Amino acid sequence: AVVGSFTPMPGGSVSDIEVAPNGELLIGGSFNTVEGTIQNKVARLMAAGSLDTAFNLPLGLNAEVTRVLRLQDGRVVVAGLFDTASAAGRNRLARLTADGKIDMTFTVGTGADAGIHALGIDSAGRLLIGGAFQTFNGSQKRGLARLNADGSVDSNFNVGFGADGVVRDLRVLNDGRILIVGDFSNYNG
C-alpha cells in the first residue's frame, strides 16, 4: 500500500487506516507482515511510514481487522472477523493499550456473533459498533450496539428490532444522533 510518499508494503490487504494527531498511522486488515516483520492484522506506522515496533500485539489476531479506532488516550479499538487476539478469546472486538497489548480491563464476554464493520465513539466516550451481528454478549443487538467503557453492553441503548442487514459504517453526529449505512432495507421495522 502506498501512503503519501512511502510504501510500508504490508503482506496482505489493508481494510482500514486511521491517522493520529501526531501523524502516526494505524492500519488493520488481513496482512501478516509489514516490512517483513510479523504484524498479524494490526500495525502502527510512524509518521514517516516505517513500522513502529513499539506497538506490538504478540501473536496478533487470527482473522481480518475491518476497523481500527484510536481513542484520545492512545488506546486502540480493533474490530473485524477475528475471534482470537494474542491467544485470548475476543469475538470480533478488542481494545489494545497504547503499546499494542490486550487491554484486559475491556471485557466483551462472548462478543459479537458475526463480523463488526463499523466503529464510532460518542461524546460520553461510549463505543458504538455496527456490523453483521445479531447478538452481542448474549443481548439481541441486530447490527448496532453501544458499549460502556468497560466493554459491557449499554442496556439504555435500545435498537429494537435493529437492522435487517449488515451495518457497514456509522457516524455519530454533533447532536448525538447516529447515522448508519449498509446492506439493510429496514431499521426497527
Side-chain angles (χ1 to χ4, degrees), residues 20-130:
N22 65 1
E24 291 176 336
L25 302 172
L26 285 168
I27 59 173
S30 62
F31 55 86
N32 293 319
T33 62
V34 177
E35 296 180 345
T37 301
I38 294 175
Q39 293 289 132
N40 286 324
K41 318 305 187 257
V42 64
R44 185 170 65 199
L45 306 175
M46 306 293 256
S50 61
L51 178 65
D52 182 352
T53 57
F55 182 85
N56 183 28
L57 177 62
L59 306 178
L61 298 125
N62 69 334
E64 182 180 4
V65 169
T66 57
R67 294 287 184 202
V68 293
L69 176 67
R70 183 186 179 279
L71 304 176
Q72 286 193 335
D73 63 5
R75 290 182 293 182
V76 176
V77 177
V78 293
L81 308 177
F82 57 87
D83 61 13
T84 304
S86 198
R90 293 288 186 270
N91 283 333
R92 295 156 192 92
L93 186 68
R95 188 170 66 194
L96 310 177
T97 61
D99 65 353
K101 308 295 185 278
I102 293 289
D103 181 349
M104 300 305 283
T105 66
F106 186 76
T107 55
V108 297
T110 57
D113 65 348
I116 297 175
H117 302 285
L119 289 175
I121 195 103
D122 71 10
S123 61
R126 295 171 296 207
L127 184 66
L128 289 142
I129 60 171

Side-chain angles (χ1 to χ4, degrees), residues 133-135 139-144 157-165 167 180 184-189:
F133 54 89
Q134 299 291 305
T135 64
S139 295
Q140 184 175 338
K141 299 290 180 185
R142 291 183 54 177
L144 185 65
F157 186 74
N158 183 3
V159 300
F161 185 73
D164 68 352
V167 173
I180 61 174
F184 58 91
S185 303
N186 294 289
Y187 180 83
N188 198 18

